Amino acid sequence: MVNGSKMKKKFLALVLSLTMTALSLTGCGAPEQSGNGAENVDGAGEREEKEGGEQAGSAGTALYFGACNPWDTLDPFAPNIMQQMYLNSCYQYLAVYDTFGGELQGALLKEWEQTDAYTYKMELYDYIKDVDGNPFTAKDVVFCFETAIASNNFPKLNYVEAITADDDYHVTLVLNTKAVGAFAEVIQTVNMVTQKAYEESSDNMATTPVGTTQYRVVSCTTGSQLKLEKVEDYWQKDEALIPDMYKANADEIVYDVVTEESQIQVALENGEVAMTWQTPSSIANEFAEREGFSVFQVPNTLCHALMFNCTEGSVFGNNQKLRQAVATAIDNQALIDVAVAGNGTVAKAFGAPNYGGYDTAWDQEEYYDFDLEAAKQLRADAGYEEGELTIRLMTSSSAAQKACGEIIQSNLGAIGIAVEISSYDTATYSSYKDASSGEYDICLIDPTCSGQIISAWSSYLDANLCSSGASMYGVYDADFQKLVEETNTEEGYTKENIDAIHTYLKENCYIYGTYSDYKYCVHQDGISSVYVAYVNGNGHVVPGASTF
Amino acid sequence: MGKYVIKRLFMMIPVVFFVCILVFTIMYFTPGDPAAIILGSNATEVQLEELRQTMGLNDPYIVQLGRYLYQIFLKFDFGDSYITGTSVTNELMARLPRTLLLDLIAIAISVGVGIPLGITAAVNQNKMGDYISMFIALLCVSMPAFWFALVLVLIFSNTLHLLPSHGMGGLAYWILPIAACSFQGVAAQARQARSSMLEVIHSDYVVMAKAKGVKKRDIIYKHALPNALIPMITIAGSDFGRMLGGTLVIETVFSIPGVGYYMVNAVNNRDYPVVQGGVIVLAVCFSLIMLFTDLIMAYVDPRIHSQFAEGRKRRIKLNG
């Protein structure tokens, strides 16, 4: 009887296992591919029929864009770190960069000139109207700046000393800094709307944006779907005067939020979306091989690095050899393999090769290349025996940083240094990042860059930006601080100064660059080119500006 | 009964009050600076300090708590999100119906499918009907919601192209999330129904009914089931409450902008008003569900109903 019961249980367990396996395998079957990789989904309910790749092509069609970050509000003056892509479809800046770290191109500005070190005179087109037909004038520019400054949401606006309307179409902007790229950063921070439309909006345009772009929002389900259609009578008639970022090649854009990674893949395969951005490199690799899809790759505006806690009392404070030992022990290619599926470049500096000011000569230099024997020797020279030292490594909760943390743990284990990894969510990680917190010995960082390398460096090197009064890594060096401040000015931003900072960082090894990588846009073959806009360090695809 | 409901509703006030204090305190002592998140890594210490001052984050704990409780209990306002500046109340009210709809239908399916499965298993104990029912229940309970949701997507959306894989829209968009959300409830209900029914089926009055020649169908549905329902209702009530806070996974997989997803983002961003508002709304919903569960139990079981009545009579007698 007992044996019979056991047999039944075993049989049941076997059937259960087989059923679960069968379920998994049924799901894993290769999907049927249509010619353009875009099969429509039946039962789409109230949502409009989608036509996959063909939808994005000719006139009178819609582009379904799979966005991995939801938005919470489309208020032009809310903090816009996560929702920049959506906001840029609804609102315009006065002018925008044409490429990453490139030249400014007027959007609402007809022209501008710098009259002294701090003052900029700007002239608006005199025929600008928002999508509701309200005229846009200099008073609206002042209103937008004042509202954005009052919100306290934009640190870059701290550069603004004054802004005044000289007449209906002329504005004077006075800055209080000569920092490199300050003017560009300031004007690419404030979304422009007419005061009348903003004040008439019942929800501060959180769901009903009225901007000056070529698109009008027709429906908005916060955090799920945003639908925009091209306006008939756009104020700027001369196509040549419209910056690429604000071109409108699709008649309708539908942002469809897909946050889960495997769902992005399914949505692309099903043709539910025609294009995605920030696609994980593993998925991008897979689609690169598929018929009907293409992968567009752009260098990331983030560079990846490792920062040592060099405060007094830390094992790395006043121990250059130990910092060098750690840098030499890290296999950067292995970091690239685990973090970004092999699609990256080993760093030769604290910064990425696509940054303005990056000197390609650095690529030929020795930069703590992976060498375990040399690392062991440096560790011994630093005064530590094998197995004597345990250090704390802090990472954010991102999958890439966690994976890198494990590789570093393994690499340092090979030279006799034990590593304890602590991974924190974004808020805690940000709070602990300043070395004065004492929460780590080494920390993985991903600085962003708004175009010029000094913008990636400044928040880590400039002691004026850190609460402790020292640099982010915990050292105050008056001469170096002077050099950083001097370099972060239009006249001081010279090759010599940039090189001096690079050399200082390299020799002292306070911060060690590990690798740079790419961002991916996977799209159907019907889309012939993808436009990526770079606004204050964040690159994002502009679906309407892509060509079909 | 009416007084009981009113009494229970009043009892919710201290519950919500202590939930407010607890959540506020936990968030207050959790590391992470909302000002730093809003302003990003390029903000100076002066800017951060200015924003903290504006947001009232520099005030002592007791001042912040008092201000918060005043806002909640006297102004019925959860405040504005630190990150987006939007009204938390409005945002929660927009998202709550989606989460409630998902959970309500899921729990209805759990009960509608799980209880018949459990009854079938109990009535056919150690027979094929029992094995099949319990196999289905075991299958449901063995699969994590996340994995099952993805399997459903791969089968019905990616392979068969019958249903959309994600998003909000018509009826078709709800089928997979509801299926994924309900299957674990089906298992729980089936197992509970089986064990409750088995206990009742072997009791003396059921044996007596059988001996008197009452039809099997009547024995099961008129005599056994009502007595076995109490634990099933309890499980359904607590499952519903659990689902309210636990649909995050389903909301994430299917990109449904519900309360769970909203709150997790808020926790990551240290958006205190959103987290606190979300927890309070869920606590109120949970309390209401528990009250509703108790009322259904009283309706189903005359013994519980009479306890309420007896309590009232006893009070009248004591006062008299």
Side-chain angles (χ1 to χ4, degrees):
Chain A
M1 192 69 186
V2 175
N3 283 342
S5 171
K6 275 187 180 172
M7 277 302 289
K8 276 178 191 169
K9 280 182 184 170
K10 281 183 183 172
F11 178 72
L12 198 62
L14 181 67
V15 175
L16 187 65
S17 315
L18 287 173
T19 310
M20 289 176 72
T21 312
L23 267 173
S24 304
L25 292 176
T26 313
C28 291
E32 289 174 25
Q33 296 279 329
S34 59
N36 54 12
E39 180 121 344
N40 203 358
V41 205
D42 293 328
E46 291 167 6
R47 193 176 285 193
E48 287 173 25
E49 290 287 306
K50 304 169 190 175
E51 292 164 15
E54 291 171 3
Q55 75 211 359
S58 52
T61 53
L63 172 67
Y64 281 78
F65 185 91
C68 63
N69 288 322
W71 73 97
D72 289 321
T73 176
L74 296 174
D75 181 343
F77 308 117
N80 52 30
I81 302 158
M82 300 299 283
Q83 42 240 10
Q84 203 158 50
M85 180 171 66
Y86 309 103
L87 294 175
N88 289 162
S89 291
C90 305
Y91 311 108
Q92 286 182 298
Y93 299 120
L94 291 172
V96 288
Y97 276 135
D98 54 355
T99 54
F100 182 56
E103 295 296 317
L104 274 178
Q105 200 178 356
L108 302 177
L109 289 186
K110 188 176 178 184
E111 52 192 35
W112 64 94
E113 63 169 332
Q114 188 172 3
T115 53
D116 63 42
Y118 300 100
T119 308
Y120 296 82
K121 297 272 185 192
M122 302 182 283
E123 183 185 352
L124 297 167
Y125 290 109
D126 57 6
Y127 47 87
I128 304 170
K129 286 190 168 130
D130 66 20
V131 292
D132 276 358
N134 301 306
F136 180 87
T137 64
K139 280 182 187 166
D140 296 311
V141 175
V142 175
F143 166 77
C144 292
F145 267 87
E146 287 177 347
T147 311
I149 290 167
S151 73
N152 268 333
N153 289 329
F154 306 99
K156 294 289 178 198
L157 297 186
N158 204 36
Y159 293 155
V160 178
E161 184 67 33
I163 182 155
T164 48
D166 302 330
D167 58 36
D168 277 356
Y169 303 108
H170 289 87
V171 180
T172 301
L173 174 66
V174 183
L175 302 181
N176 55 22
T177 177
K178 292 196 272 183
V180 176
F183 174 68
E185 289 182 6
V186 163
I187 63 167
Q188 289 180 102
T189 294
V190 185
N191 291 298
M192 291 293 145
V193 291
T194 59
Q195 184 173 359
K196 182 172 182 285
Y198 189 73
E199 288 176 349
E200 280 176 357
S201 170
S202 57
D203 62 353
N204 291 344
M205 297 190 179
T207 57
T208 52
V210 178
T212 54
T213 63
Q214 299 201 56
Y215 289 102
R216 173 200 300 278
V217 172
V218 287
S219 74
C220 171
T221 307
T222 303
S224 177
Q225 196 185 66
L226 177 68
K227 192 181 283 184
L228 303 108
E229 68 179 16
K230 195 172 174 179
V231 292
E232 298 267 311
D233 186 27
Y234 184 55
W235 61 269
Q236 184 58 278
K237 307 293 180 200
D238 187 347
E239 275 285 322
L241 295 177
I242 302 174
D244 288 343
M245 180 172 157
Y246 296 124
K247 291 270 188 333
N249 298 324
D251 287 342
E252 194 176 306
I253 300 170
V254 181
Y255 287 106
D256 223 350
V257 174
V258 192
T259 49
E260 213 283 314
E261 279 186 15
S262 55
Q263 285 282 61
I264 294 171
Q265 191 166 349
V266 171
L268 276 166
E269 284 171 353
N270 287 353
E272 290 173 278
V273 298
M275 148 185 236
T276 64
W277 173 238
Q278 288 189 308
T279 318
S281 48
S282 54
I283 294 178
N285 280 350
E286 200 179 323
F287 275 92
E289 308 288 319
R290 291 214 188 167
E291 194 183 330
F293 291 96
S294 302
V295 175
F296 180 70
Q297 171 181 295
V298 287
N300 202 342
T301 54
L302 301 176
C303 61
H304 305 278
L306 185 148
M307 181 168 68
F308 296 92
N309 183 337
C310 299
T311 52
E312 290 290 327
S314 162
V315 287
F316 292 108
N318 302 319
N319 199 334
Q320 184 189 15
K321 292 280 183 202
L322 187 59
R323 297 193 293 270
Q324 290 174 335
V326 169
T328 309
I330 294 173
D331 182 356
N332 288 335
Q333 188 56 51
L335 301 187
I336 294 169
D337 292 343
V338 296
V340 289
N343 299 324
T345 312
V346 171
K348 286 290 187 178
F350 174 36
N354 59 324
Y355 291 0
Y358 184 96
D359 189 344
T360 48
W362 298 342
D363 294 340
Q364 311 309 319
E365 297 173 357
E366 289 268 317
Y367 189 65
Y368 304 109
D369 299 333
F370 177 53
D371 184 343
L372 285 178
E373 290 310 313
K376 280 180 187 171
Q377 186 56 52
L378 282 163
R379 188 253 304 137
D381 294 347
Y384 289 96
E385 294 299 318
E386 189 167 347
E388 188 186 341
L389 186 61
T390 300
I391 58 174
R392 296 164 300 154
L393 168 64
M394 184 173 87
T395 75
S396 73
S397 54
S398 81
Q401 281 207 0
K402 281 181 177 174
C404 288
E406 287 168 15
I407 294 292
I408 291 169
Q409 187 179 41
S410 164
N411 287 159
L412 296 187
I415 64 162
I417 298 176
V419 176
E420 292 169 357
I421 302 173
S422 300
S423 297
Y424 296 108
D425 67 297
T426 313
T428 312
Y429 172 82
S430 303
S431 297
Y432 290 165
K433 203 158 64 175
D434 194 321
S436 62
S437 72
E439 293 291 333
Y440 64 87
D441 297 310
I442 52 179
C443 167
L444 295 183
I445 54 172
D446 300 325
T448 186
C449 172
S450 60
Q452 298 300 323
I453 198 165
I454 190 70
S455 71
W457 284 347
S458 62
S459 54
Y460 290 88
L461 310 184
D462 190 345
N464 295 331
L465 296 178
C466 297
S467 55
S468 59
S471 59
M472 187 74 88
Y473 50 82
V475 172
Y476 184 79
D477 177 336
D479 292 336
F480 183 61
Q481 175 63 22
K482 197 176 162 195
L483 176 64
V484 170
E485 287 175 20
E486 188 186 326
T487 308
N488 197 11
T489 58
E490 295 290 352
E491 60 271 24
Y493 194 56
T494 60
K495 186 177 179 301
E496 290 69 34
N497 282 345
I498 293 170
D499 211 46
I501 293 178
H502 164 69
T503 306
Y504 178 90
L505 282 177
K506 187 175 150 187
E507 279 176 8
N508 290 285
C509 199
Y510 292 129
I511 297 179
Y512 168 60
T514 50
Y515 69 94
S516 54
D517 61 345
Y518 303 93
K519 281 187 174 180
Y520 303 94
C521 171
V522 177
H523 60 85
Q524 293 171 350
D525 278 348
I527 297 164
S528 56
S529 78
V530 176
Y531 185 81
V532 177
Y534 294 96
V535 179
N536 288 336
N538 293 309
H540 64 79
V541 162
V542 183
S546 302
T547 52
F548 312 110
Chain B
M1 187 64 86
K3 278 189 179 172
Y4 173 75
V5 174
I6 293 168
K7 186 178 149 192
R8 284 287 299 268
L9 289 174
F10 271 110
M11 278 168 64
M12 279 170 55
I13 296 172
V15 171
V16 173
F17 185 77
F18 284 110
V19 166
C20 285
I21 294 176
L22 188 68
V23 174
F24 184 89
T25 308
I26 290 171
M27 291 302 290
Y28 182 86
F29 289 107
T30 306
D33 181 3
I37 293 169
I38 293 170
L39 295 180
S41 57
N42 288 326
T44 63
E45 188 54 32
V46 175
Q47 287 172 311
L48 288 169
E49 193 54 32
E50 201 174 302
L51 187 57
R52 283 187 208 116
Q53 195 66 36
T54 312
M55 294 162 79
L57 294 171
N58 287 337
D59 293 337
Y61 164 77
I62 201 74
V63 174
Q64 290 189 46
L65 177 63
R67 188 168 53 224
Y68 185 67
L69 293 176
Y70 169 77
Q71 261 197 320
I72 299 285
F73 287 97
L74 296 178
K75 294 175 82 178
F76 303 106
D77 180 12
F78 292 127
D80 293 337
S81 159
Y82 283 166
I83 306 298
T84 63
T86 51
S87 160
V88 174
T89 313
N90 291 348
E91 198 61 39
L92 282 171
M93 289 307 110
R95 288 166 183 263
L96 189 63
R98 293 172 197 142
T99 303
L100 279 179
L101 181 70
L102 186 63
D103 291 347
L104 267 174
I105 300 176
I107 204 72
I109 290 173
S110 302
V111 171
V113 176
I115 292 180
L117 268 181
I119 293 171
T120 309
V123 172
N124 300 291
Q125 191 185 7
N126 295 329
K127 292 180 191 164
M128 191 51 79
D130 186 13
Y131 296 142
I132 292 172
S133 300
M134 283 305 98
F135 170 73
I136 295 170
L138 195 58
L139 190 67
C140 289
V141 87
S142 312
M143 293 185 289
F146 179 79
W147 180 82
F148 186 59
L150 289 177
V151 167
L152 287 177
V153 168
L154 289 172
I155 295 172
F156 292 101
S157 183
N158 203 24
T159 306
L160 301 175
H161 299 288
L162 290 174
L163 295 165
S165 66
H166 70 277
M168 300 274 301
L171 183 64
Y173 286 85
W174 288 95
I175 294 175
L176 293 184
I178 287 169
C181 203
S182 59
F183 76 100
Q184 281 195 328
V186 168
Q189 282 297 337
R191 290 160 72 87
Q192 183 60 54
R194 182 180 184 270
S195 97
S196 304
M197 283 296 284
L198 279 177
E199 202 174 305
V200 175
I201 279 172
H202 294 120
S203 58
D204 292 347
Y205 72 91
V206 172
V207 176
M208 172 66 80
K210 276 184 193 167
K212 284 172 74 179
V214 179
K215 282 183 191 168
K216 190 180 176 185
R217 186 186 173 82
D218 288 348
I219 293 173
I220 293 165
Y221 291 104
K222 288 186 180 168
H223 297 282
L225 184 58
N227 285 299
L229 267 179
I230 300 301
M232 296 182 215
I233 295 168
T234 312
I235 291 281
S238 52
D239 260 11
F240 191 19
R242 182 180 53 77
M243 274 184 192
L244 268 180
T247 46
L248 161 75
V249 172
I250 302 299
E251 287 173 0
T252 306
V253 171
F254 293 102
S255 302
I256 298 171
V259 175
Y261 191 73
Y262 185 49
M263 281 177 60
V264 168
N265 273 347
V267 170
N268 287 334
N269 290 328
R270 296 296 183 274
D271 198 345
Y272 299 160
V274 173
V275 178
Q276 289 151 359
V279 172
I280 290 162
V281 165
L282 291 184
V284 170
C285 288
F286 191 80
S287 303
L288 289 174
I289 290 161
M290 287 297 114
L291 171 62
F292 193 59
T293 307
D294 289 348
L295 295 179
I296 294 175
M297 286 201 286
Y299 175 77
V300 168
D301 192 338
R303 290 169 298 185
I304 299 174
H305 191 267
S306 68
Q307 276 173 11
F308 294 140
E310 274 175 23
R312 194 175 67 234
K313 280 178 195 164
R314 203 176 297 132
R315 279 196 301 276
I316 293 167
K317 207 172 176 180
L318 284 171
N319 293 336

Tab-separated table of all heavy atoms in Angstrom, chain A residues 191-213:
chain	number	residue	atom	x	y	z
A	191	ASN	N	12.006	73.418	-21.637
A	191	ASN	CA	11.018	73.170	-22.691
A	191	ASN	C	10.185	74.427	-22.880
A	191	ASN	O	9.788	75.075	-21.912
A	191	ASN	CB	10.101	72.016	-22.288
A	191	ASN	CG	10.836	70.701	-22.270
A	191	ASN	OD1	11.339	70.248	-23.289
A	191	ASN	ND2	10.920	70.086	-21.100
A	192	MET	N	9.908	74.742	-24.152
A	192	MET	CA	9.193	75.988	-24.439
A	192	MET	C	7.706	75.757	-24.692
A	192	MET	O	7.342	74.880	-25.489
A	192	MET	CB	9.826	76.661	-25.671
A	192	MET	CG	11.216	77.201	-25.396
A	192	MET	SD	11.127	78.586	-24.231
A	192	MET	CE	12.627	78.338	-23.311
A	193	VAL	N	6.904	76.530	-24.001
A	193	VAL	CA	5.457	76.512	-24.220
A	193	VAL	C	4.963	77.955	-24.171
A	193	VAL	O	5.671	78.834	-23.676
A	193	VAL	CB	4.709	75.702	-23.124
A	193	VAL	CG1	5.003	74.242	-23.214
A	193	VAL	CG2	5.018	76.239	-21.727
A	194	THR	N	3.758	78.178	-24.630
A	194	THR	CA	3.211	79.527	-24.478
A	194	THR	C	2.596	79.632	-23.085
A	194	THR	O	2.019	78.664	-22.574
A	194	THR	CB	2.124	79.825	-25.539
A	194	THR	OG1	1.084	78.874	-25.400
A	194	THR	CG2	2.684	79.780	-26.946
A	195	GLN	N	2.751	80.791	-22.498
A	195	GLN	CA	2.214	81.020	-21.143
A	195	GLN	C	0.704	80.785	-21.132
A	195	GLN	O	0.166	80.174	-20.209
A	195	GLN	CB	2.531	82.455	-20.715
A	195	GLN	CG	2.099	82.754	-19.288
A	195	GLN	CD	2.559	84.126	-18.818
A	195	GLN	OE1	3.213	84.845	-19.557
A	195	GLN	NE2	2.237	84.475	-17.597
A	196	LYS	N	0.043	81.221	-22.209
A	196	LYS	CA	-1.428	81.099	-22.273
A	196	LYS	C	-1.838	79.622	-22.214
A	196	LYS	O	-2.692	79.240	-21.406
A	196	LYS	CB	-1.911	81.738	-23.585
A	196	LYS	CG	-3.410	81.727	-23.778
A	196	LYS	CD	-3.782	82.564	-25.012
A	196	LYS	CE	-5.286	82.612	-25.221
A	196	LYS	NZ	-5.838	81.382	-25.762
A	197	ALA	N	-1.201	78.807	-23.035
A	197	ALA	CA	-1.580	77.381	-23.069
A	197	ALA	C	-1.276	76.703	-21.737
A	197	ALA	O	-2.068	75.887	-21.246
A	197	ALA	CB	-0.836	76.686	-24.199
A	198	TYR	N	-0.135	77.058	-21.140
A	198	TYR	CA	0.250	76.405	-19.872
A	198	TYR	C	-0.730	76.779	-18.758
A	198	TYR	O	-1.149	75.931	-17.973
A	198	TYR	CB	1.670	76.806	-19.487
A	198	TYR	CG	2.214	75.999	-18.323
A	198	TYR	CD1	2.595	74.669	-18.483
A	198	TYR	CD2	2.330	76.561	-17.054
A	198	TYR	CE1	3.075	73.923	-17.421
A	198	TYR	CE2	2.811	75.818	-15.981
A	198	TYR	CZ	3.193	74.506	-16.176
A	198	TYR	OH	3.662	73.767	-15.113
A	199	GLU	N	-1.074	78.043	-18.719
A	199	GLU	CA	-1.983	78.485	-17.654
A	199	GLU	C	-3.410	77.983	-17.862
A	199	GLU	O	-4.155	77.825	-16.904
A	199	GLU	CB	-1.940	80.010	-17.535
A	199	GLU	CG	-0.622	80.457	-16.908
A	199	GLU	CD	-0.449	81.967	-16.829
A	199	GLU	OE1	-1.246	82.715	-17.439
A	199	GLU	OE2	0.498	82.404	-16.170
A	200	GLU	N	-3.769	77.719	-19.111
A	200	GLU	CA	-5.120	77.196	-19.383
A	200	GLU	C	-5.214	75.699	-19.095
A	200	GLU	O	-6.309	75.161	-18.951
A	200	GLU	CB	-5.497	77.452	-20.849
A	200	GLU	CG	-5.972	78.876	-21.081
A	200	GLU	CD	-6.243	79.158	-22.561
A	200	GLU	OE1	-6.012	78.253	-23.393
A	200	GLU	OE2	-6.667	80.283	-22.854
A	201	SER	N	-4.066	75.039	-19.023
A	201	SER	CA	-4.083	73.594	-18.798
A	201	SER	C	-4.473	73.295	-17.345
A	201	SER	O	-3.947	73.902	-16.419
A	201	SER	CB	-2.690	73.014	-19.093
A	201	SER	OG	-2.638	71.682	-18.659
A	202	SER	N	-5.382	72.352	-17.182
A	202	SER	CA	-5.857	72.053	-15.819
A	202	SER	C	-4.862	71.203	-15.044
A	202	SER	O	-4.904	71.133	-13.820
A	202	SER	CB	-7.198	71.326	-15.895
A	202	SER	OG	-7.038	70.156	-16.672
A	203	ASP	N	-3.960	70.522	-15.728
A	203	ASP	CA	-3.027	69.623	-15.034
A	203	ASP	C	-1.571	69.942	-15.346
A	203	ASP	O	-0.718	69.053	-15.349
A	203	ASP	CB	-3.345	68.171	-15.388
A	203	ASP	CG	-3.169	67.888	-16.875
A	203	ASP	OD1	-2.938	68.855	-17.630
A	203	ASP	OD2	-3.245	66.729	-17.281
A	204	ASN	N	-1.280	71.215	-15.604
A	204	ASN	CA	0.083	71.645	-15.954
A	204	ASN	C	0.636	70.838	-17.126
A	204	ASN	O	1.817	70.497	-17.182
A	204	ASN	CB	1.031	71.518	-14.767
A	204	ASN	CG	0.728	72.513	-13.683
A	204	ASN	OD1	0.015	73.477	-13.918
A	204	ASN	ND2	1.245	72.271	-12.490
A	205	MET	N	-0.245	70.499	-18.038
A	205	MET	CA	0.140	69.758	-19.254
A	205	MET	C	0.668	68.364	-18.958
A	205	MET	O	1.376	67.783	-19.768
A	205	MET	CB	1.151	70.543	-20.094
A	205	MET	CG	0.625	71.852	-20.616
A	205	MET	SD	1.726	72.585	-21.817
A	205	MET	CE	0.844	74.059	-22.268
A	206	ALA	N	0.316	67.816	-17.791
A	206	ALA	CA	0.800	66.471	-17.445
A	206	ALA	C	0.306	65.425	-18.437
A	206	ALA	O	1.004	64.455	-18.739
A	206	ALA	CB	0.338	66.106	-16.036
A	207	THR	N	-0.900	65.606	-18.942
A	207	THR	CA	-1.428	64.650	-19.926
A	207	THR	C	-1.883	65.334	-21.218
A	207	THR	O	-2.243	64.660	-22.169
A	207	THR	CB	-2.654	63.890	-19.351
A	207	THR	OG1	-3.641	64.856	-18.966
A	207	THR	CG2	-2.279	63.046	-18.152
A	208	THR	N	-1.851	66.665	-21.211
A	208	THR	CA	-2.340	67.385	-22.398
A	208	THR	C	-1.318	68.425	-22.856
A	208	THR	O	-1.577	69.631	-22.769
A	208	THR	CB	-3.663	68.107	-22.060
A	208	THR	OG1	-3.438	68.895	-20.862
A	208	THR	CG2	-4.796	67.146	-21.831
A	209	PRO	N	-0.170	67.993	-23.324
A	209	PRO	CA	0.866	68.954	-23.718
A	209	PRO	C	0.442	69.790	-24.932
A	209	PRO	O	-0.222	69.272	-25.822
A	209	PRO	CB	2.056	68.061	-24.095
A	209	PRO	CG	1.722	66.702	-23.655
A	209	PRO	CD	0.242	66.609	-23.576
A	210	VAL	N	0.828	71.037	-24.900
A	210	VAL	CA	0.622	71.910	-26.056
A	210	VAL	C	1.968	72.577	-26.321
A	210	VAL	O	2.352	73.512	-25.633
A	210	VAL	CB	-0.462	72.978	-25.767
A	210	VAL	CG1	-0.623	73.903	-26.959
A	210	VAL	CG2	-1.787	72.320	-25.433
A	211	GLY	N	2.689	72.063	-27.289
A	211	GLY	CA	4.019	72.588	-27.570
A	211	GLY	C	4.095	73.181	-28.949
A	211	GLY	O	3.069	73.440	-29.592
A	212	THR	N	5.321	73.363	-29.407
A	212	THR	CA	5.521	73.983	-30.720
A	212	THR	C	6.102	72.999	-31.731
A	212	THR	O	6.574	73.406	-32.783
A	212	THR	CB	6.467	75.194	-30.592
A	212	THR	OG1	7.667	74.749	-29.953
A	212	THR	CG2	5.851	76.300	-29.772
A	213	THR	N	6.128	71.705	-31.418
A	213	THR	CA	6.668	70.717	-32.366
A	213	THR	C	5.635	70.435	-33.454
A	213	THR	O	4.553	71.011	-33.452
A	213	THR	CB	6.998	69.380	-31.676
A	213	THR	OG1	5.780	68.830	-31.160
A	213	THR	CG2	7.981	69.559	-30.537
